[in-house]
Amino acid sequence: MCGIVGAVSTRNIVPILIEGLKRLEYRGYDSCGVAVHQGGELRRARSTARVAELELEVARDDVRSGIGIAHTRWATHGAPAVHNAHPHFSRGPGVSDADVAVAGGTAHSGRIALVHNGIIENHDELRAELIGRGYVFNSQTDTEVIAHLVDHLYDGDLLDAVQRTTMRLRGAYAIAVFCRDEPQRVIGAREGSPLVLGVGSAAHAGENFLASDAMALAGVTDQIVYLEEGDVVDLQLGKHWVTQRTAQGDFKPVQREVRTVHAHSGAAELGPYRHYMQKEIFEQPKAIADTLDAVTGITPELFGDGAWSVFKGVDSVLILACGTSYYSGSVAKYWLESIAKIPTSVEVASEYRYRDSVPNPRTLVVTITQSGETADTLAALKHARSLGMAHTLTVCNVATSAMVRECRFAYITRAGVEIGVASTKAFSTQLVGLFLLTLSLAQARGHLSDAQEAAHMKALRHLPVAVQAVLALEPQVIAWSQEFARKENALFLGRGLHYPIALEGALKLKEISYIHAEAYPAGELKHGPLALVTAEMPVVTIAPNDALLEKLKSNLQEVRARGGELFVFADADTRIEGGPGLHVIRMPEHYGALSPILHVVPLQLLAYHTACARGTDVDKPRNLAKSVTVE
């Protein structure tokens, strides 16, 4: 979701701020902006176009400085419009309309410039208070409230004003602030939304940086401090310090570890691919191989020291996740119960924390998240811990993320940076990590023989080659996509552990092609969905050669009898033959328990090529963000 970059330096940092925003574009946004301290005043440029357009704007208006903040916004409060875009300036009592320009690079008589990720829950009451004090609001955002509050509390010390401001805020926030009256100083604060400090090199006179993601600072610094909940950081030339709010409500200095983080730029080369999503689909064999690279055998210690005793002692698993990660957890439920013989429940993270549940201290709580910063999943984890469930584990793609720091155990997938908003390689590597978890729990619980371990390891090692063979089906999928591009609705069917893959296929199609798609267990057709089936409703079916195949064939006949058009991804030995109204693409091989990882690939390709045929923005679909860091 929204991105923050800030800097204090002796050189012009505007190009660094703009480049940082470009590296965060993959998260999704609908406006962007930059503000600097220039000529004794605040200046800014804002745009509802892409960062590239903002870059042209700051060049045209000669916006330059050694101190500044920048932001990409994904609208929550207020429509995507220039006056709602960040950075926001304070407009205190006595500032006339003539002193204010709400768009474009401009001098401004306000004191405070601020950017914000998150949601302030008490913004309405704060807004009413500030209006009563003479403050004028130019936006509908909750963020402008923070800028005005900092201005109101400012008494010559920006750090003190920000600390006092955070005491008044309820909700989630990461903010970066600077003041007209204190050049060469930026203050950052976080609560419930990620923020990092980047320590610059001595070669540039001790410059320092803030960002919502270390990736934004790739190529600028690799010395990163991950700020913790309640931290407020003061950045100046050649120095920085962190304070943290205490339970008593005051702030005390704290030490935070400086880590060397080799973040990769989001501006990866596309190579021969049209979009990052296509590139990432085809990177899956390598991503899976990399995720398995250090695995020489099955052991709970793959997830961290002490995992064996914990795995042996737990009697159930609770999986918490959102979106695509929820579907990977839904696949894992089948594995965990059939292979590890352990009761498993899968919860949508945003729902779990708001309902009454029955806690069990012997439960292993598993979170799944690509970014490791998903707000709902982090909150659900904390809720589970508050109920006395201390055994926590995450499957995550970012080793330095908040989720990894919060959980006792972790398996870090090696999907690499995923830029396309619709997840592909992160999903398949999550499934690999969850299968390893299944086998490790089975081993600890005495349900995995040496022969079974050897067979599963052989299948895992062959998985990259098997996925590569599925990718070779792309030309056949492209032909299908031309049919789908003309439709506005689609059904997806699956049975058993392939039902979550049907859900994932439907999600991919709706995310990037904007075709309404739903998925059902095939056995549920007669219980309602069959009423939707017509010749205009394509029905996508996943047909592996498993114990449910004959049942699935009966479901296919139900669709054909109602004039439905079937598109079936069938294993080679299923003996499902194509014909009028029945289109079949044959998968290269049946892959047993790991079959879901193979079957999701053609569904990704179908969504991708359908979106291309419809001319949508594949990598940045409307209204969606890559990393959802607010509720």
Side-chain angles (χ1 to χ4, degrees):
M1 200 164 278
C2 310
I4 289 174
V5 192
V8 175
S9 179
T10 55
R11 57 174 166 163
N12 177 25
I13 46 77
V14 173
I16 293 174
L17 298 180
I18 295 294
E19 185 61 28
L21 293 186
K22 288 180 178 178
R23 292 190 175 117
L24 297 177
E25 282 190 288
Y26 76 98
R27 289 170 171 252
Y29 64 104
D30 44 46
S31 63
C32 53
V34 60
V36 300
H37 190 288
Q38 184 175 2
E41 294 288 344
L42 307 183
R43 295 194 71 190
R44 69 180 168 194
R46 298 184 292 177
S47 174
T48 54
R50 292 300 183 193
V51 173
E53 296 299 317
L54 178 69
E55 185 174 25
L56 294 175
E57 187 175 333
V58 298
R60 183 190 66 226
D61 294 333
D62 195 31
V63 178
R64 58 176 53 245
S65 178
I67 178 172
I69 54 179
H71 191 263
T72 51
R73 175 180 185 253
W74 191 82
T76 54
H77 295 73
V82 171
H83 68 278
N84 287 325
H86 301 209
H88 287 285
F89 289 166
S90 61
R91 186 180 175 188
V95 178
S96 68
D97 289 344
D99 294 325
V100 178
V102 298
T106 177
H108 193 290
S109 61
R111 273 194 307 198
I112 302 298
L114 181 142
V115 294
H116 162 230
N117 291 352
I119 292 177
I120 303 305
E121 296 172 356
N122 60 332
H123 70 97
D124 281 337
E125 61 192 72
L126 291 172
R127 180 185 293 258
E129 174 190 330
L130 290 161
I131 289 174
R133 295 181 181 276
Y135 282 86
V136 177
F137 284 80
N138 294 311
S139 77
Q140 289 79 50
T141 67
D142 54 341
T143 300
E144 195 177 7
V145 167
I146 314 174
H148 290 341
L149 187 56
V150 173
D151 183 271
H152 168 61
L153 296 173
Y154 183 73
D155 190 24
D157 184 349
L158 185 60
L159 175 63
D160 176 69
V162 173
Q163 288 174 333
R164 290 164 63 197
T165 295
T166 63
M167 300 295 294
R168 300 285 310 278
L169 303 178
R170 293 201 310 271
Y173 58 82
I175 59 175
V177 194
F178 72 91
C179 179
R180 178 195 62 198
D181 300 340
E182 294 189 66
Q184 311 257 301
R185 190 183 199 187
V186 172
I187 306 297
R190 68 151 297 192
E191 183 73 50
S193 194
L195 193 67
V196 303
L197 159 68
V199 181
S201 67
H204 293 289
E207 62 189 6
N208 287 300
F209 304 90
L210 278 177
S212 50
D213 190 321
M215 183 189 298
L217 305 178
V220 177
T221 179
D222 61 1
Q223 300 300 293
I224 302 296
V225 175
Y226 289 90
L227 300 175
E228 298 185 9
E229 298 288 89
D231 281 358
V232 180
V233 60
D234 190 337
L235 276 67
Q236 300 184 37
L237 282 173
K239 55 187 176 181
H240 64 269
W241 54 89
V242 181
T243 60
Q244 186 177 54
R245 188 173 63 248
T246 68
Q248 291 71 41
D250 58 352
F251 286 82
K252 66 176 183 179
V254 291
Q255 295 293 320
R256 297 284 181 243
E257 178 187 359
V258 180
R259 305 185 188 186
T260 300
V261 177
H262 300 292
H264 298 286
S265 167
E269 293 296 325
L270 272 173
Y273 301 102
R274 290 178 60 188
H275 299 92
Y276 285 108
M277 182 179 178
Q278 185 187 29
K279 179 175 184 282
E280 287 153 10
I281 290 171
F282 277 83
E283 286 176 341
Q284 287 177 112
K286 182 179 186 304
I288 291 169
D290 289 346
T291 297
L292 290 167
D293 184 55
V295 180
T296 56
I298 301 303
T299 170
E301 306 306 312
L302 289 168
F303 296 85
D305 294 341
W308 178 276
S309 60
V310 171
F311 284 14
K312 196 171 181 62
V314 297
D315 62 10
S316 62
V317 174
L318 168 64
I319 296 175
L320 303 172
C322 300
T324 285
S325 296
Y326 173 80
Y327 296 145
S328 67
S330 299
V331 173
K333 173 182 171 68
Y334 287 91
W335 287 337
L336 286 161
E337 294 196 339
S338 66
I339 298 173
K341 313 298 183 187
I342 186 166
T344 301
S345 59
V346 188
E347 297 262 6
V348 175
S350 58
E351 291 293 316
Y352 170 71
R353 63 183 292 217
Y354 293 115
R355 72 172 186 84
D356 292 332
S357 57
V358 181
N360 174 7
R362 294 184 64 190
T363 293
L364 178 65
V365 179
V366 177
T367 64
I368 311 169
T369 163
Q370 185 276 138
S371 68
E373 306 290 350
T374 307
D376 284 317
T377 310
L378 281 165
L381 169 68
K382 292 174 183 177
H383 177 66
R385 281 204 312 242
S386 74
L387 297 177
M389 293 186 283
H391 303 312
T392 59
L393 180 151
T394 188
V395 176
C396 181
N397 193 42
V398 182
T400 55
S401 65
M403 188 66 75
V404 173
R405 297 195 302 274
E406 290 284 343
C407 288
R408 179 177 177 186
F409 303 111
Y411 193 83
I412 308 303
T413 58
R414 296 185 180 181
V417 174
E418 191 176 64
I419 296 172
V421 166
S423 181
T424 52
K425 62 178 180 174
F427 177 76
S428 56
T429 52
Q430 284 173 352
L431 289 175
V432 170
L434 291 165
F435 194 71
L436 291 171
L437 174 62
T438 298
L439 298 182
S440 298
L441 279 165
Q443 184 185 76
R445 293 166 57 82
H447 297 297
L448 186 71
S449 68
D450 290 345
Q452 289 170 327
E453 177 182 345
H456 287 308
M457 284 302 300
K458 182 179 178 180
L460 283 168
R461 292 297 179 202
H462 182 63
L463 194 55
V465 175
V467 172
Q468 194 68 54
V470 176
L471 289 168
L473 300 174
E474 186 182 32
Q476 297 176 59
V477 176
I478 292 173
W480 281 13
S481 71
Q482 303 306 307
E483 294 292 323
F484 276 76
R486 296 191 288 268
K487 307 296 184 181
E488 293 302 325
N489 301 280
L491 282 177
F492 286 69
L493 302 178
R495 299 206 70 151
L497 80 170
H498 292 84
Y499 166 49
I501 298 303
L503 287 165
E504 172 64 8
L507 177 63
K508 285 292 156 285
L509 190 67
K510 71 181 78 169
E511 278 181 315
I512 61 171
S513 75
Y514 313 146
I515 293 171
H516 171 243
E518 299 208 33
Y520 291 93
E524 283 293 291
L525 268 176
K526 293 188 291 293
H527 298 278
L530 202 56
L532 296 172
V533 172
T534 70
E536 291 303 307
M537 175 74 80
V539 180
V540 180
T541 307
I542 303 164
N545 189 12
D546 59 16
L548 290 170
L549 177 61
E550 295 306 317
K551 297 287 185 184
L552 181 64
K553 286 180 178 179
S554 297
N555 302 139
L556 299 185
Q557 291 303 317
E558 292 168 355
V559 173
R560 288 299 302 123
R562 274 78 180 177
E565 194 91 354
L566 281 162
F567 295 81
V568 182
F569 292 102
D571 283 351
D573 48 1
T574 55
R575 297 187 301 281
I576 297 175
E577 302 297 332
L582 177 57
H583 313 276
V584 180
I585 290 179
R586 299 204 178 280
M587 301 288 285
E589 57 183 309
H590 176 57
Y591 221 65
L594 291 171
S595 174
I597 300 176
L598 268 62
H599 272 276
V600 77
V601 174
L603 300 182
Q604 296 168 347
L605 289 170
L606 179 62
Y608 170 73
H609 286 291
T610 301
C612 288
R614 287 168 70 95
T616 63
D617 190 343
V618 172
D619 288 331
K620 301 182 183 74
R622 68 188 182 203
N623 305 332
L624 298 180
K626 183 64 176 173
S627 180
V628 183
T629 55
V630 296
E631 285 191 70

